[in-house]
Amino acid sequence: MPTISSGITTALQAVLAHSQVLEITEHNIANASTPGYRRQSAVLTAETPNSINGAEYRMGAGQHGNGVTVDRIERFSVSFFDKRYRAVSSEAGNWQAQSSILSQLESALAEISDDGVIPKLDQFWSGWEALSNDPTNNSLRSILLDDANTLATGINRRATQISQMRTDQNLIVVGQVEEINSLASQIAELNENIARVISVGEQPNDLLDKRDLALDRLAKITGAVSTEQKNGETLVTIGGHVLVVGHDTFKLETRTNAVDTSIVDVHWSDGQKLDPPSGELKGTLDARDGTLMDQWRGLDTLANGLINQVNTIHQTGYGLNNATNIRFFNGSDALSISVNPLLDAASIATASAANQAGNNTIALQIAGLKSVKGMKGGTATLNEFYNSQVTDLGVLTNRATNNAYQHGLIVQALGNQRESVAGVSLDEEAANMAKAQKAYQAAARVMTAYDDLLDLVINRMGRVGL
Amino acid sequence: MRITHMMATENAIKNMADNLERVSKLQGKLSTGKQFQAASEDPTNASASLSLRSHLQTLESYSSTAENTRNWMTTSDSAFEKLEQVANRANNLVLRGLNDSLSGNERASSLAAEMRTLVDEAVEIGNTSLNGQYIFSGYQVNQKSFALSDAAAPLLDFQGNPFTPKTVAYTGDTGNMQRNLGPDQAVTLNVRGDQAILGFLQNLILATNALTQNNITDTGNPATDPLTLQSVLTGLKSSLETLDQYRTSNGARMRQVESAANFLESVKLETKSLLSEKEDANMAEGIALLANQQTTYEAVLEVSQRAISALSLFDYLR
């Protein structure tokens, strides 16, 4: 039977429900720019009605509504977009890492500028050419020695820089491994809390947001994939190896490489080597062990070719002081190449026989090395060999940068799609707020109406004539 | 599509960043005047420009080789010219010596004395040097080409008094120096003194001796005949021919160097324009693009400003 007090209860429930709706709107507005936040909304539903026997009280028949209640707080989850977003973002992370390292290498080598190895090689050949013109000229000899030193130190400097850059990546790798471990612990902890909240039938909306954010980041670093399980926990794997299961984690660690002690490798705590399928970590490791290494080996090959080709001819010649069988360059690779310290200006061999000051046969032969195809199995000159190495680096850097840009665009588009579904729109919240406010006001009015009724019943009823 | 304020803000930021990057790239191009700063910006043209620059450097060295070679050959040529003048004067002296009306004393003192100065002069010319290098010495550029000394055995003059004749020796070697005017284009730089000049110098000395001795006409005696003025005259003539022959061949090589130098100049010019085509920024186009990009950037800023500070429904709700 409807009573005044049940009417007040219904009005109160409406007031409470709408104030909760307002609170959720407030929560949304407050988090409008929180990364990873998914908007929430109150799902309002009518209370279970009472069946009343209307005929008995002559009040008509039917079910009597009991007002409104907040059934649950819904979270706009977008797990389908999440999966695609993470796949593309890990690929983008891979290319971004490569692009950043390779661009750094390219600007450190500065091969296009006048400081490049090729201009230095040209200068060296020109030095020989000039000396062949005037083999007794001591100042030309000194200039040649100077050019040769510049060339050798130019090659040394590049090899040192590449080696330094490889070592520098250790910091990044170690940092990323630490981040992965800390994200894994976060996810494990969140898994535990989420499962507990779900088990008591509530929605851990904000915890899920946090976990999704951690999974986004993890995907970007290593290309980790996650699978949601029935109890709300998530299983995270990297390249097939489990990182987080339930509230347990398997940690990663860095170990010094056995062969090259200047770099670190990433291993699972069970000793297996980590092979990230994509992500920033893969980009970093690939650039370090791929392109950087290739460039270094290329420099070594160049230095070695230069040393052998020049020395072979130089050792057969005679200097102004009849010195012979002297190495022009010492060393065997890019790090060790140097001009023989025993070689002074007068000992530079230009003549093919002793006591022939004007004989320039050897100088001509060495100057002619410029066009001798002694590299890549006799298909390229030293200049061409290094030219193609510079171009290779350019092409790889170009590809990495373009890929990073393209994948960045896709990440942005997918992020927008996700945001479009789950992001907070202030206009929408303003409208919801207005709606809840009006409903609240109306419910309060209803309550006032009951208040009047009570006033009537209590204070004025039965007071006829008083 | 449902647009949220965060999306609008992030898109605005990305658009601004992208546009600013394009503006800065164009500015870099214009301020350096180069099409690219790193090989990755244009790998094909970067590779071409690297090899063109090497090529240009090679051409520069060949050019300077040609220049030096030309100087050397010009010096050789003027030495030959002077030697030919000496030869003509020697010829005249011998012709005067053949004249019967001269007394033995006149031949031995005045003519022979003048001939001796010619010998000195010719040896001096044979020792011509360029930048401290003796040009007729073969590989021995640090040594004088010819050495004049007293002969071991004295001869008797027309009065029966002994005198010490001179003798000349070539102190260079048989080196032929090569210069490269191109990858497969070598040219011989020097003329060897022993081939071109030594015979002439020896003939001059013979002439001096013949004048001092007053040996005039051939007697038919092969042992003494080479010392007569008559046979010296023939010898001088053939020496002059030899000088002329080597001078001509030097001249021919000079023309070869000349034409190679001209060719190098034109190839250099062509390579430079090719290089500029590959790596130089098109300024007019660049400036137009930059102006365009700046306009776009301003528009993006204007639009972004609105997107970021956009009004929302809150501004209108009471």
Side-chain angles (χ1 to χ4, degrees):
Chain A
M1 192 189 103
T3 62
I4 291 179
S5 66
S6 81
I8 288 182
T9 315
T10 308
L12 176 64
Q13 253 179 322
V15 164
L16 289 177
H18 285 108
S19 70
Q20 199 174 354
V21 171
L22 261 180
E23 257 173 35
I24 290 165
T25 304
E26 190 190 356
H27 187 51
N28 280 343
I29 294 171
N31 286 298
S33 50
T34 307
Y37 181 76
R38 308 271 188 270
R39 75 184 152 117
Q40 300 173 9
S41 79
V43 178
L44 294 179
T45 173
E47 271 283 16
T48 324
N50 293 339
S51 286
I52 51 165
N53 190 342
E56 196 178 325
Y57 300 100
R58 297 164 200 246
M59 290 185 65
Q63 288 200 313
H64 166 74
N66 270 333
V68 70
T69 184
V70 175
D71 182 48
R72 64 198 153 88
I73 300 170
E74 189 192 23
R75 168 178 182 261
F76 281 79
S77 101
V78 276
S79 45
F80 169 66
F81 286 133
D82 278 345
K83 278 215 156 41
R84 287 182 56 200
Y85 177 85
R86 283 173 199 153
V88 178
S89 125
S90 64
E91 206 47 39
N94 173 12
W95 290 113
Q96 275 159 8
Q98 291 211 28
S99 158
S100 133
I101 296 173
L102 297 187
S103 307
Q104 212 181 322
L105 175 67
E106 207 181 29
S107 54
L109 298 187
E111 295 297 0
I112 295 296
S113 72
D114 290 340
D115 192 36
V117 165
I118 292 186
K120 291 189 162 88
L121 262 177
D122 288 339
Q123 202 61 45
F124 177 67
W125 301 132
S126 291
W128 277 107
E129 186 72 42
L131 186 57
S132 80
N133 262 330
D134 194 356
T136 54
N137 190 329
N138 263 314
S139 67
L140 285 182
R141 288 170 175 267
S142 305
I143 293 173
L144 173 64
L145 270 186
D146 210 50
D147 288 343
N149 268 316
T150 316
L151 174 62
T153 47
I155 295 176
N156 294 153
R157 184 174 68 78
R158 282 171 173 74
T160 319
Q161 263 169 342
I162 295 179
S163 138
Q164 185 61 45
M165 272 189 74
R166 273 168 60 76
T167 316
D168 288 349
Q169 303 314 314
N170 287 350
L171 280 179
I172 295 180
V173 171
V174 169
Q176 283 174 343
V177 165
E178 274 170 14
E179 193 176 352
I180 294 169
N181 285 339
S182 114
L183 286 169
S185 311
Q186 273 180 44
I187 291 171
E189 201 175 316
L190 286 164
N191 266 348
E192 198 179 346
N193 291 332
I194 287 168
R196 200 171 53 229
V197 174
I198 284 180
S199 70
V200 298
E202 290 178 4
Q203 298 100 37
N205 290 343
D206 296 317
L207 297 178
L208 289 171
D209 285 352
K210 270 192 193 151
R211 193 174 67 185
D212 274 345
L213 194 62
L215 288 172
D216 277 359
R217 180 71 192 131
L218 208 49
K220 186 158 196 212
I221 306 178
T222 61
V225 287
S226 60
T227 328
E228 186 104 7
Q229 288 167 327
K230 274 195 181 139
N231 60 357
E233 290 178 342
T234 189
L235 174 75
V236 186
T237 58
I238 302 175
H241 193 294
V242 174
L243 178 71
V244 182
V245 54
H247 39 261
D248 292 326
T249 59
F250 292 86
K251 296 279 160 127
L252 289 170
E253 58 195 36
T254 49
R255 293 183 194 171
T256 305
N257 186 299
V259 184
D260 181 353
T261 51
S262 68
I263 58 168
V264 292
D265 288 333
V266 184
H267 290 268
W268 291 97
S269 48
D270 59 16
Q272 237 175 303
K273 198 169 170 188
L274 172 78
D275 188 15
S278 67
E280 287 168 353
L281 186 57
K282 177 183 165 67
T284 307
L285 293 175
D286 278 4
R288 184 189 74 183
D289 300 335
T291 315
L292 284 186
M293 215 49 212
D294 290 347
Q295 288 285 317
W296 194 354
R297 294 286 153 264
L299 265 179
D300 279 348
T301 315
L302 175 81
N304 196 274
L306 182 69
I307 295 167
N308 286 340
Q309 292 183 22
V310 172
N311 280 355
T312 310
I313 300 176
H314 190 261
Q315 282 173 296
T316 63
Y318 296 82
L320 270 188
N321 53 7
N322 287 332
T324 186
N325 200 18
I326 292 187
R327 293 168 64 89
F328 192 89
F329 286 116
N330 276 341
S332 61
D333 58 18
L335 274 176
S336 60
I337 183 173
S338 65
V339 176
N340 188 350
L342 300 175
L343 187 75
D344 56 15
S347 322
I348 295 178
T350 47
S352 55
N355 291 321
Q356 295 188 343
N359 184 338
N360 64 351
T361 316
I362 294 297
L364 272 185
Q365 278 181 22
I366 296 182
L369 283 178
K370 178 172 186 170
S371 45
V372 168
K373 294 190 185 294
M375 307 295 284
K376 285 189 175 171
T379 59
T381 64
L382 286 160
N383 280 40
E384 285 164 357
F385 171 80
Y386 199 66
N387 188 331
S388 79
Q389 162 142 341
V390 171
T391 317
D392 280 352
L393 178 60
V395 169
L396 288 174
T397 312
N398 190 345
R399 189 186 66 175
T401 311
N402 280 343
N403 279 346
Y405 181 73
Q406 311 294 359
H407 282 91
L409 286 183
I410 305 176
V411 167
Q412 199 206 1
L414 287 173
N416 276 345
Q417 281 187 348
R418 205 161 69 153
E419 176 70 14
S420 169
V421 175
V424 176
S425 157
L426 289 177
D427 293 339
E428 205 175 282
E429 298 307 324
N432 284 339
M433 187 185 80
K435 199 167 73 182
Q437 195 184 349
K438 294 287 182 220
Y440 184 98
Q441 281 170 355
R445 278 289 289 278
V446 172
M447 193 167 314
T448 318
Y450 276 107
D451 190 29
D452 278 357
L453 288 186
L454 277 176
D455 184 39
L456 188 70
V457 170
I458 295 166
N459 293 328
R460 285 196 250 155
M461 226 181 226
R463 285 172 55 100
V464 177
L466 273 179
Chain B
M1 194 180 188
R2 185 173 167 273
I3 304 290
T4 71
H5 287 82
M6 193 139 111
M7 265 163 87
T9 312
E10 273 176 7
N11 283 344
I13 293 173
K14 182 165 165 50
N15 285 335
M16 284 189 286
D18 281 359
N19 266 284
L20 193 57
E21 194 188 339
R22 266 177 239 146
V23 170
S24 122
K25 271 210 174 128
L26 281 170
Q27 275 171 344
K29 254 185 206 180
L30 285 175
S31 53
T32 55
K34 296 285 177 219
Q35 196 69 33
F36 41 80
Q37 256 52 234
S40 60
E41 288 171 40
D42 189 347
T44 328
N45 278 340
S47 161
S49 111
L50 277 179
S51 60
L52 281 173
R53 271 196 258 167
S54 295
H55 190 49
L56 202 57
Q57 176 96 34
T58 316
L59 291 173
E60 294 283 358
S61 345
Y62 285 142
S63 263
S64 83
T65 306
E67 184 64 39
N68 288 339
T69 310
R70 193 159 45 187
N71 284 345
W72 184 289
M73 287 176 169
T74 312
T75 314
S76 305
D77 189 66
S78 65
F80 277 119
E81 192 181 344
K82 283 187 236 160
L83 283 176
E84 282 177 7
Q85 283 167 4
V86 171
N88 281 332
R89 276 157 61 203
N91 212 26
N92 286 344
L93 283 180
V94 173
L95 284 176
R96 274 168 62 199
L98 279 170
N99 195 335
D100 287 342
S101 61
L102 280 184
S103 71
N105 203 28
E106 275 173 318
R107 281 196 196 94
S109 54
S110 68
L111 291 188
E114 195 176 344
M115 193 58 94
R116 265 194 289 278
T117 64
L118 286 185
V119 170
D120 288 344
E121 197 180 331
V123 169
E124 194 65 31
I125 297 168
N127 287 334
T128 301
S129 69
L130 175 68
N131 296 333
Q133 301 183 54
Y134 295 97
I135 61 175
F136 293 116
S137 299
Y139 286 146
Q140 305 301 327
V141 290
N142 290 335
Q143 288 176 26
K144 286 191 175 181
S145 316
F146 300 99
L148 194 62
S149 56
D150 291 340
L155 292 175
L156 298 177
D157 69 6
F158 72 109
Q159 289 166 324
N161 300 323
F163 72 97
T164 315
K166 294 285 182 187
T167 175
V168 68
Y170 177 63
T171 48
D173 62 14
T174 56
N176 284 322
M177 292 187 282
Q178 303 290 318
R179 291 291 182 263
N180 280 349
L181 304 175
D184 292 311
Q185 195 186 357
V187 64
T188 304
L189 174 73
N190 60 326
V191 176
R192 267 165 50 194
D194 59 336
Q195 288 176 330
I197 304 170
L198 185 62
F200 173 61
L201 297 179
Q202 282 164 341
N203 277 328
L204 283 182
I205 292 172
L206 285 182
T208 318
N209 295 348
L211 283 171
T212 317
Q213 291 183 314
N214 272 302
N215 278 345
I216 301 175
T217 44
D218 289 357
T219 55
N221 179 351
T224 52
D225 273 354
L227 288 173
T228 64
L229 283 178
Q230 209 170 23
S231 61
V232 161
L233 192 62
T234 331
L236 272 179
K237 266 197 187 128
S238 96
S239 303
L240 191 60
E241 270 167 31
T242 314
L243 282 178
D244 213 40
Q245 179 195 334
Y246 279 96
R247 186 181 178 187
T248 312
S249 108
N250 184 52
R253 279 180 285 135
M254 251 167 91
R255 273 195 300 283
Q256 189 189 342
V257 172
E258 197 78 43
S259 83
N262 288 341
F263 175 72
L264 283 171
E265 281 308 315
S266 70
V267 176
K268 239 159 64 179
L269 215 60
E270 236 169 80
T271 311
K272 272 184 189 155
S273 82
L274 211 56
L275 180 63
S276 148
E277 205 173 284
K278 296 284 181 204
E279 66 171 27
D280 285 354
N282 181 340
M283 284 302 191
E285 187 193 52
I287 290 169
L289 284 178
L290 180 65
N292 189 22
Q293 194 65 53
Q294 269 169 341
T295 314
T296 314
Y297 183 52
E298 275 165 28
V300 168
L301 284 182
E302 179 66 31
V303 171
S304 307
Q305 179 265 116
R306 288 183 197 194
I308 291 171
S309 66
L311 297 172
S312 74
L313 192 50
F314 284 106
D315 296 304
Y316 295 98
L317 281 178
R318 299 265 152 220

